[in-house]
Amino acid sequence: MQHSVSVIVVSNGRPDALRRCLLGLSQIDHPKCEVIVVADSASWPAMAQTGLGDRIKAARCDVPNISVARNAGLALAAGDIVAFIDDDAVPEPTWLSYLTAPFASETVMAAGGFVRGRNGIDFQWRARLAFGDAETTSIQVDGARPTLMTAGPGRAVKTEGTNMAIRRATLIGMGGFDEAFAFYLDETDINLRLAQRSAVTAIVPMAQVHHGFAPSVRRSKDRVPRTLFQIGASLAVFLRKHGGTPHPTPHVPRAAQRRRLLSHMVAGRLMPGDVRRLLQTFDAGWADGLKRDLCQHPRFSTPPPFLAFDTRRRTHKKVFARSWRKAEAMSAAKGAVDSGQIVSLYLMSPTGLFHRRYFDESGVWIQTGGQFGKSDRTDSWWSPWRAQRRSDHEAKKITALRDPQSADYNNLLGIR
């Protein structure tokens, strides 16, 4: 039996990102999902602009607190499973089916997938463990099939807030998200609380989203911090809660933030005075976090009825073209999207340029790069490919992610 799933998207001040995320969600293949958007006044109009407004449950939240917003979404969720994706992320069409498949085992309480970065090829995050001092460490897992893991107190299986799922009954039973975490470490707190219950978490490599790190009030488009207040506050709250002492000191986390700021300064993205100013915002946040009430949880009542998002399995169309024929190829690709297909467009130039994958605002998945250049960053700097063979090679890599009718996709939906 396939579980029903509620997908929650939180958006604050990023209507363009939300529109793109919802367009990506409109292409997913899971047959029993609903989509819930929790948005502030700035992002709210994006739902109507996508034409999907009547298929979405929505809640307005102008409080700049991601835990409050996620709890507002959870209050509307009627699915057996609750999945989370950020507004500046786009899911692969098969994302939700892969992510929720491990819940066929009644022992699995949570699941997390892999997250690709801005170039659509490298991974920002794969599999990690999280600890009570807020540190994380990478771990090796199977690169294709789910791995089920059980952690324990102080040592959790890490899931990323932009790509995770939890049984609704479990999350409600835990009180939802702790609203003391306005930003940062909110999902890691969930991971540590699940670990205290010895819960089983699935790491699902094929459940993939593309995450862009869109600019916000807290960071610029190149990830330079504008303020560290909420990071300082959340670290103080987290260490009070999980670090074994009610009165943690800021020296180690502050030093880590200082190193991060200095790296931005060396790269020319910050001035020396900016480093001092930003550390002052960290100190102010830390002081605030020491005073916050812990375990701030709302009460949840019966949600409104399940609102099906009307997804379906689509055929996957591959379009290959030389880069100088981009306009013609894009026209054909957009037409195929409008007819209800998932489209992967490969634009190759006769160069050694590195490759990039991204989801276009028209709903087309695009890969650009040189016929002889790198795709995976472990590839050679230059390889003597023929154009068609190179395109076929790149298309084969993503078949199991884009084509829900492929044998690769169906073979990988099992549980390890």
Side-chain angles (χ1 to χ4, degrees):
M1 181 187 72
Q2 196 156 28
H3 292 286
S4 58
V5 186
S6 300
V7 179
I8 296 176
V9 188
V10 170
S11 187
N12 189 283
R14 299 194 294 212
D16 293 342
L18 178 59
R19 277 193 295 272
R20 184 167 168 269
C21 177
L22 292 175
L23 181 59
L25 285 170
S26 73
Q27 295 188 6
I28 61 176
D29 72 308
H30 196 287
K32 296 175 66 175
C33 76
E34 64 177 3
V35 171
I36 300 166
V37 173
V38 183
D40 68 345
S41 300
S43 291
W44 191 265
M47 286 179 282
Q49 292 164 3
T50 63
L52 300 169
D54 60 343
R55 295 161 54 187
I56 295 172
K57 286 182 178 178
R60 193 184 296 271
C61 180
D62 287 301
V63 179
N65 182 314
I66 193 168
S67 295
V68 168
R70 284 180 167 161
N71 283 336
L74 181 58
L76 297 178
D80 302 319
I81 310 298
V82 183
F84 297 88
I85 185 171
D86 289 348
D87 62 350
D88 59 348
V90 177
E92 288 282 355
T94 56
W95 163 68
L96 194 60
S97 292
Y98 279 126
L99 183 64
T100 58
F103 291 98
S105 168
E106 294 182 358
T107 64
V108 173
M109 295 295 109
F114 282 15
V115 180
R116 293 189 185 267
R118 284 182 174 178
N119 63 23
I121 294 174
D122 291 337
F123 286 103
Q124 284 176 1
W125 301 299
R126 283 182 275 198
R128 296 192 288 170
L129 296 178
F131 302 93
D133 60 359
E135 293 295 316
T136 62
T137 186
S138 298
I139 54 174
Q140 294 296 316
V141 297
D142 189 299
R145 297 190 180 278
T147 297
L148 308 188
M149 303 180 65
T150 303
R155 178 178 178 271
V157 181
K158 182 77 173 75
T159 59
E160 311 304 336
T162 191
N163 187 0
M164 68 179 187
I166 306 172
R167 290 188 188 273
R168 181 184 180 276
T170 299
L171 190 52
I172 292 289
M174 295 168 61
F177 289 83
D178 186 344
E179 295 177 359
F181 295 95
F183 169 77
Y184 185 58
L185 295 174
D186 47 295
E187 76 273 28
T188 312
D189 171 64
I190 292 286
N191 298 150
L192 267 292
R193 288 155 61 195
L194 285 169
Q196 290 168 359
R197 299 175 172 218
S198 299
V200 176
T201 298
I203 299 297
V204 192
M206 297 303 291
Q208 296 185 13
V209 303
H210 297 246
H211 186 222
F213 282 121
S216 69
V217 295
R218 290 174 294 273
R219 64 173 180 242
S220 66
K221 64 180 181 180
D222 52 0
R223 299 183 63 190
V224 177
R226 290 175 171 149
T227 175
L228 294 176
F229 183 90
Q230 293 297 354
I231 287 178
S234 288
L235 277 164
V237 170
F238 189 90
L239 293 175
R240 288 170 61 202
K241 194 170 180 180
H242 300 289
T245 173
H247 304 290
T249 58
H251 308 305
V252 173
R254 190 183 193 276
Q257 293 299 319
R258 183 175 182 274
R259 288 193 296 272
R260 181 162 74 104
L261 296 176
L262 290 176
S263 68
H264 284 300
M265 187 185 75
V266 170
R269 294 186 288 264
L270 287 174
M271 298 296 290
D274 295 327
V275 174
R276 183 168 54 255
R277 175 183 58 80
L278 287 167
L279 285 175
Q280 289 172 347
T281 67
F282 176 89
D283 295 337
W286 182 273
D288 187 76
L290 291 178
K291 295 182 293 184
R292 289 184 184 178
D293 293 333
L294 301 181
C295 303
Q296 300 177 30
H297 301 294
R299 292 184 178 180
F300 295 98
S301 56
T302 302
F306 191 84
L307 178 62
F309 192 56
D310 189 28
T311 57
R312 63 186 185 276
R313 287 197 173 188
R314 304 165 183 249
T315 57
H316 180 222
K317 181 180 179 64
K318 293 171 281 190
V319 179
F320 306 100
R322 287 296 197 174
S323 56
W324 55 84
R325 303 190 68 177
K326 178 178 179 180
E328 178 184 343
M330 279 296 300
S331 178
K334 290 177 182 177
V337 169
D338 291 341
S339 70
Q341 293 179 292
I342 296 168
V343 181
S344 297
L345 171 61
Y346 299 87
L347 294 170
M348 297 289 174
S349 62
T351 67
L353 291 174
F354 284 14
H355 287 226
R356 178 182 174 227
R357 298 188 195 122
Y358 61 96
F359 186 70
D360 183 76
E361 292 180 356
S362 62
V364 179
W365 289 93
I366 301 175
Q367 182 166 335
T368 61
Q371 174 181 336
F372 314 112
K374 274 191 177 187
S375 172
D376 295 332
R377 295 318 186 237
T378 55
D379 290 347
S380 300
W381 282 81
W382 190 93
S383 299
W385 291 94
R386 291 183 181 275
Q388 187 61 52
R389 189 180 174 201
R390 181 61 190 271
S391 295
D392 291 340
H393 174 75
E394 295 301 322
K396 186 177 180 181
K397 291 179 182 179
I398 55 84
T399 296
L401 295 173
R402 301 272 166 84
D403 189 353
Q405 298 182 1
S406 69
D408 290 343
Y409 167 78
N410 289 289
N411 289 337
L412 287 170
L413 274 182
I415 299 175
R416 186 181 178 185

